Amino acid sequence: MSDPAVQIADNVARVRSHIADAAARVGRSPDAVTLVAVTKYVSAEMVRPLVAADCFELGESRPQKLWDKAAALADLPVRWHMIGHLQRNKVRKTLPLVTLIHSIDSPQLLTEIDEQAEQPVRALLEVNISGEAAKHGFTPESLERFLPELAKCRHVTVHGLMAMAALEGGPDEARRDFAALRQLRDRLQTQCPPGMTLNELSMGMSNDFEAAIEEGATLVRVGSALFEGVLPSG
Ligand SMILES: *Cc1c(COP(=O)(O)O)cnc(C)c1O
Protein backbone atom coordinates (compact mmCIF):
# COMPACT_ATOMS: atom_id res chain seq x y z
CA MET A 1 0.00 0.00 0.00
CA SER A 2 1.43 3.38 -0.93
CA ASP A 3 1.22 6.32 1.45
CA PRO A 4 -2.23 7.88 1.01
CA ALA A 5 -0.79 11.40 1.22
CA VAL A 6 1.62 10.67 -1.64
CA GLN A 7 -1.14 9.04 -3.65
CA ILE A 8 -3.46 12.01 -3.12
CA ALA A 9 -0.74 14.49 -4.10
CA ASP A 10 -0.14 12.47 -7.29
CA ASN A 11 -3.86 12.47 -8.03
CA VAL A 12 -4.11 16.22 -7.55
CA ALA A 13 -1.15 16.77 -9.89
CA ARG A 14 -2.72 14.51 -12.53
CA VAL A 15 -6.13 16.18 -12.31
CA ARG A 16 -4.56 19.64 -12.48
CA SER A 17 -2.57 18.70 -15.55
CA HIS A 18 -5.70 17.34 -17.25
CA ILE A 19 -7.48 20.59 -16.38
CA ALA A 20 -4.65 22.60 -17.95
CA ASP A 21 -4.60 20.39 -21.06
CA ALA A 22 -8.35 20.68 -21.56
CA ALA A 23 -8.22 24.44 -21.13
CA ALA A 24 -5.31 24.71 -23.59
CA ARG A 25 -7.19 22.70 -26.22
CA VAL A 26 -9.81 25.44 -26.42
CA GLY A 27 -7.45 28.39 -25.92
CA ARG A 28 -8.43 29.03 -22.30
CA SER A 29 -6.06 29.76 -19.45
CA PRO A 30 -5.85 27.03 -16.78
CA ASP A 31 -6.44 29.84 -14.25
CA ALA A 32 -9.91 30.31 -15.72
CA VAL A 33 -10.94 26.99 -14.17
CA THR A 34 -11.26 26.47 -10.41
CA LEU A 35 -10.88 22.95 -9.06
CA VAL A 36 -13.40 22.32 -6.30
CA ALA A 37 -12.19 19.20 -4.51
CA VAL A 38 -15.20 17.16 -3.41
CA THR A 39 -14.48 15.53 -0.07
CA LYS A 40 -17.71 13.60 0.52
CA TYR A 41 -16.06 10.17 0.20
CA VAL A 42 -13.46 10.62 2.92
CA SER A 43 -13.00 11.52 6.56
CA ALA A 44 -11.83 14.96 7.63
CA GLU A 45 -8.34 13.56 8.29
CA MET A 46 -8.05 12.42 4.66
CA VAL A 47 -8.80 15.97 3.55
CA ARG A 48 -5.57 17.25 5.10
CA PRO A 49 -3.28 15.75 2.42
CA LEU A 50 -5.52 17.33 -0.19
CA VAL A 51 -5.02 20.73 1.38
CA ALA A 52 -1.28 20.03 1.69
CA ALA A 53 -1.38 19.59 -2.11
CA ASP A 54 -2.77 23.13 -2.45
CA CYS A 55 -6.48 22.33 -2.81
CA PHE A 56 -8.13 25.11 -0.83
CA GLU A 57 -11.57 25.03 -2.48
CA LEU A 58 -13.49 22.13 -0.99
CA GLY A 59 -16.98 20.85 -1.76
CA GLU A 60 -19.54 18.80 0.14
CA SER A 61 -22.95 17.72 -1.10
CA ARG A 62 -24.62 17.18 2.29
CA PRO A 63 -25.00 20.08 4.70
CA GLN A 64 -24.41 18.01 7.84
CA LYS A 65 -21.15 16.64 6.44
CA LEU A 66 -20.04 20.09 5.43
CA TRP A 67 -20.69 21.37 8.97
CA ASP A 68 -18.75 18.48 10.50
CA LYS A 69 -15.75 18.80 8.21
CA ALA A 70 -15.66 22.57 8.46
CA ALA A 71 -15.48 22.21 12.25
CA ALA A 72 -12.85 19.46 12.16
CA LEU A 73 -10.68 21.43 9.71
CA ALA A 74 -11.25 24.91 11.11
CA ASP A 75 -7.48 25.36 11.48
CA LEU A 76 -6.97 25.19 7.69
CA PRO A 77 -7.32 28.13 5.26
CA VAL A 78 -9.96 26.42 3.12
CA ARG A 79 -13.16 27.64 1.49
CA TRP A 80 -16.25 25.44 1.48
CA HIS A 81 -18.61 25.04 -1.44
CA MET A 82 -22.12 23.67 -0.90
CA ILE A 83 -22.71 21.59 -4.02
CA GLY A 84 -25.74 19.44 -3.16
CA HIS A 85 -29.35 19.87 -2.17
CA LEU A 86 -29.71 22.30 0.72
CA GLN A 87 -32.82 21.71 2.82
CA ARG A 88 -34.45 24.93 3.92
CA ASN A 89 -34.10 24.06 7.62
CA LYS A 90 -30.33 23.72 7.15
CA VAL A 91 -29.81 27.14 5.59
CA ARG A 92 -29.10 29.09 8.75
CA LYS A 93 -26.25 26.90 9.93
CA THR A 94 -24.73 26.52 6.47
CA LEU A 95 -24.57 30.15 5.37
CA PRO A 96 -21.71 31.35 7.59
CA LEU A 97 -19.54 28.39 6.56
CA VAL A 98 -19.57 28.61 2.79
CA THR A 99 -17.93 30.72 0.09
CA LEU A 100 -20.33 29.68 -2.68
CA ILE A 101 -23.61 27.80 -2.84
CA HIS A 102 -23.70 25.99 -6.20
CA SER A 103 -27.09 24.41 -5.75
CA ILE A 104 -29.93 26.90 -5.49
CA ASP A 105 -32.52 24.61 -7.03
CA SER A 106 -35.83 26.39 -6.41
CA PRO A 107 -37.28 29.88 -5.96
CA GLN A 108 -38.25 28.87 -2.39
CA LEU A 109 -34.68 28.05 -1.45
CA LEU A 110 -33.40 31.33 -2.84
CA THR A 111 -36.02 33.25 -0.85
CA GLU A 112 -35.19 31.34 2.31
CA ILE A 113 -31.48 32.06 1.94
CA ASP A 114 -32.05 35.71 1.16
CA GLU A 115 -34.28 36.13 4.21
CA GLN A 116 -31.94 34.32 6.60
CA ALA A 117 -28.68 35.83 5.38
CA GLU A 118 -26.94 38.44 7.49
CA GLN A 119 -23.98 38.75 5.13
CA PRO A 120 -23.66 38.78 1.35
CA VAL A 121 -24.15 35.28 -0.11
CA ARG A 122 -22.62 34.15 -3.41
CA ALA A 123 -24.65 31.59 -5.28
CA LEU A 124 -25.26 29.70 -8.49
CA LEU A 125 -28.60 28.53 -9.83
CA GLU A 126 -28.82 24.79 -10.45
CA VAL A 127 -30.32 23.80 -13.78
CA ASN A 128 -31.75 20.38 -14.57
CA ILE A 129 -30.17 20.43 -17.99
CA SER A 130 -30.51 16.72 -18.71
CA GLY A 131 -34.23 16.74 -17.92
CA GLU A 132 -34.00 13.62 -15.73
CA ALA A 133 -36.86 13.33 -13.26
CA ALA A 134 -34.54 12.52 -10.34
CA LYS A 135 -32.49 15.70 -10.72
CA HIS A 136 -32.98 18.88 -8.74
CA GLY A 137 -32.95 22.28 -10.34
CA PHE A 138 -34.69 24.78 -12.55
CA THR A 139 -35.81 23.67 -15.96
CA PRO A 140 -34.43 25.96 -18.68
CA GLU A 141 -37.94 27.42 -19.12
CA SER A 142 -38.53 28.05 -15.42
CA LEU A 143 -35.10 29.64 -15.13
CA GLU A 144 -35.89 32.10 -17.86
CA ARG A 145 -39.18 33.04 -16.20
CA PHE A 146 -37.50 33.34 -12.81
CA LEU A 147 -34.51 35.54 -13.67
CA PRO A 148 -36.31 38.89 -13.29
CA GLU A 149 -37.20 37.87 -9.70
CA LEU A 150 -33.50 38.04 -8.79
CA ALA A 151 -33.90 41.80 -8.63
CA LYS A 152 -35.66 41.31 -5.27
CA CYS A 153 -32.64 39.72 -3.57
CA ARG A 154 -31.11 41.74 -0.77
CA HIS A 155 -28.26 39.45 0.28
CA VAL A 156 -27.83 36.86 -2.44
CA THR A 157 -25.78 37.60 -5.54
CA VAL A 158 -26.11 35.11 -8.38
CA HIS A 159 -22.86 34.55 -10.27
CA GLY A 160 -23.78 31.75 -12.65
CA LEU A 161 -25.25 28.32 -13.28
CA MET A 162 -24.53 24.78 -12.11
CA ALA A 163 -25.53 21.47 -13.63
CA MET A 164 -24.79 17.78 -13.64
CA ALA A 165 -24.63 15.72 -16.82
CA ALA A 166 -27.08 12.88 -17.36
CA LEU A 167 -26.24 9.89 -15.16
CA GLU A 168 -26.50 7.53 -18.10
CA GLY A 169 -25.53 8.28 -21.63
CA GLY A 170 -21.76 8.43 -21.51
CA PRO A 171 -19.31 11.11 -22.59
CA ASP A 172 -21.13 12.31 -25.72
CA GLU A 173 -24.34 12.89 -23.80
CA ALA A 174 -22.40 14.66 -21.04
CA ARG A 175 -20.77 16.99 -23.54
CA ARG A 176 -24.16 17.79 -25.06
CA ASP A 177 -25.49 18.66 -21.60
CA PHE A 178 -22.52 20.96 -20.90
CA ALA A 179 -22.88 22.68 -24.27
CA ALA A 180 -26.59 23.11 -23.59
CA LEU A 181 -25.88 24.79 -20.23
CA ARG A 182 -23.39 27.17 -21.85
CA GLN A 183 -25.82 28.03 -24.63
CA LEU A 184 -28.59 28.63 -22.10
CA ARG A 185 -26.23 30.93 -20.19
CA ASP A 186 -25.26 32.79 -23.36
CA ARG A 187 -28.91 33.32 -24.23
CA LEU A 188 -30.05 34.43 -20.74
CA GLN A 189 -26.98 36.43 -19.67
CA THR A 190 -28.45 39.73 -20.84
CA GLN A 191 -31.72 39.09 -19.00
CA CYS A 192 -30.11 39.19 -15.55
CA PRO A 193 -31.07 42.11 -13.34
CA PRO A 194 -28.28 44.60 -12.52
CA GLY A 195 -25.58 43.19 -10.22
CA MET A 196 -26.34 39.59 -11.15
CA THR A 197 -24.37 37.66 -13.77
CA LEU A 198 -24.20 34.19 -15.25
CA ASN A 199 -20.42 34.29 -15.71
CA GLU A 200 -19.65 31.15 -13.74
CA LEU A 201 -20.46 27.67 -15.02
CA SER A 202 -20.09 24.90 -12.43
CA MET A 203 -20.07 21.67 -14.43
CA GLY A 204 -17.92 18.57 -14.78
CA MET A 205 -17.03 15.79 -12.31
CA SER A 206 -14.34 13.08 -12.26
CA ASN A 207 -15.55 11.32 -15.39
CA ASP A 208 -16.31 14.32 -17.52
CA PHE A 209 -14.50 17.45 -16.30
CA GLU A 210 -12.31 17.71 -19.40
CA ALA A 211 -15.33 17.87 -21.71
CA ALA A 212 -16.92 20.38 -19.33
CA ILE A 213 -13.85 22.63 -19.49
CA GLU A 214 -13.81 22.43 -23.29
CA GLU A 215 -17.45 23.54 -23.18
CA GLY A 216 -16.78 26.48 -20.86
CA ALA A 217 -16.78 25.30 -17.22
CA THR A 218 -15.23 27.80 -14.79
CA LEU A 219 -15.66 25.50 -11.75
CA VAL A 220 -15.22 21.73 -11.88
CA ARG A 221 -16.35 19.56 -8.95
CA VAL A 222 -13.99 16.60 -8.77
CA GLY A 223 -14.17 13.94 -6.07
CA SER A 224 -13.30 10.33 -6.80
CA ALA A 225 -10.40 11.10 -9.19
CA LEU A 226 -8.61 12.79 -6.27
CA PHE A 227 -8.89 9.70 -4.09
CA GLU A 228 -7.98 7.01 -6.62
CA GLY A 229 -5.91 4.29 -4.99
CA VAL A 230 -7.00 5.50 -1.56
CA LEU A 231 -10.65 4.51 -1.51
CA PRO A 232 -11.49 0.81 -1.11
CA SER A 233 -13.36 0.39 -4.39
CA GLY A 234 -11.25 2.72 -6.52
C1 LIG B 1 -20.17 13.77 -5.60
C2 LIG B 1 -20.40 14.98 -6.41
C3 LIG B 1 -19.40 15.42 -7.31
C4 LIG B 1 -18.08 14.70 -7.51
O1 LIG B 1 -18.30 13.49 -8.17
P1 LIG B 1 -17.08 12.58 -8.66
O2 LIG B 1 -17.65 11.82 -9.80
O3 LIG B 1 -16.69 11.73 -7.53
O4 LIG B 1 -15.98 13.47 -9.11
C5 LIG B 1 -19.67 16.57 -8.03
N1 LIG B 1 -20.83 17.26 -7.89
C6 LIG B 1 -21.79 16.87 -7.04
C7 LIG B 1 -23.03 17.67 -6.94
C8 LIG B 1 -21.61 15.71 -6.29
O5 LIG B 1 -22.59 15.31 -5.46
Side-chain angles (χ1 to χ4, degrees):
M1 258 303 258
S2 69
D3 178 356
V6 172
Q7 180 74 56
I8 289 171
D10 278 357
N11 291 343
V12 170
R14 190 185 65 250
V15 166
R16 285 204 189 282
S17 99
H18 289 166
I19 289 174
D21 290 349
R25 283 197 290 276
V26 289
R28 303 179 63 206
S29 160
D31 301 337
V33 182
T34 298
L35 170 62
V36 176
V38 177
T39 57
K40 67 186 182 192
Y41 307 105
V42 299
S43 67
E45 285 318 302
M46 285 291 253
V47 178
R48 291 184 183 274
L50 203 57
V51 179
D54 285 348
C55 287
F56 299 108
E57 310 290 329
L58 305 179
E60 277 287 329
S61 58
R62 292 183 188 275
Q64 178 79 51
K65 290 204 166 174
L66 190 151
W67 305 343
D68 294 348
K69 284 207 180 77
L73 301 169
D75 57 308
L76 297 177
V78 298
R79 288 181 288 271
W80 286 100
H81 295 245
M82 180 68 222
I83 63 171
H85 181 58
L86 179 57
Q87 296 81 1
R88 285 156 68 188
N89 63 358
K90 302 207 166 117
V91 165
R92 185 179 298 280
K93 193 161 173 189
T94 302
L95 287 184
L97 301 175
V98 295
T99 184
L100 181 66
I101 300 175
H102 293 230
S103 42
I104 304 243
D105 52 17
S106 70
Q108 293 79 6
L109 178 60
L110 183 75
T111 303
E112 187 77 21
I113 292 172
D114 201 61
E115 284 174 358
Q116 300 222 10
E118 291 167 4
Q119 310 273 343
V121 177
R122 304 169 64 242
L124 309 177
L125 301 176
E126 181 171 351
V127 180
N128 182 354
I129 200 73
S130 66
E132 289 166 297
K135 289 252 163 78
H136 292 285
F138 292 85
T139 63
E141 300 72 33
S142 68
L143 178 69
E144 181 163 14
R145 280 196 306 275
F146 181 65
L147 278 184
E149 301 286 314
L150 296 180
K152 295 180 189 156
C153 289
R154 294 168 56 242
H155 294 103
V156 176
T157 304
V158 169
H159 292 273
L161 303 177
M162 178 270 218
M164 282 191 271
L167 269 182
E168 288 165 30
D172 293 342
E173 179 70 36
R175 185 182 291 274
R176 270 198 297 279
D177 287 340
F178 299 143
L181 190 72
R182 186 197 62 235
Q183 286 156 10
L184 180 69
R185 185 278 302 279
D186 292 348
R187 189 164 66 76
L188 298 184
Q189 176 80 284
T190 56
Q191 301 180 30
C192 278
M196 306 280 176
T197 75
L198 300 180
N199 291 341
E200 305 290 341
L201 291 178
S202 170
M203 55 187 195
M205 318 197 326
S206 290
N207 287 332
D208 52 26
F209 69 86
E210 291 162 278
I213 290 167
E214 290 174 13
E215 299 299 335
T218 63
L219 295 144
V220 291
R221 309 178 309 269
V222 178
S224 34
L226 299 174
F227 298 104
E228 255 174 57
V230 174
L231 294 171
S233 61

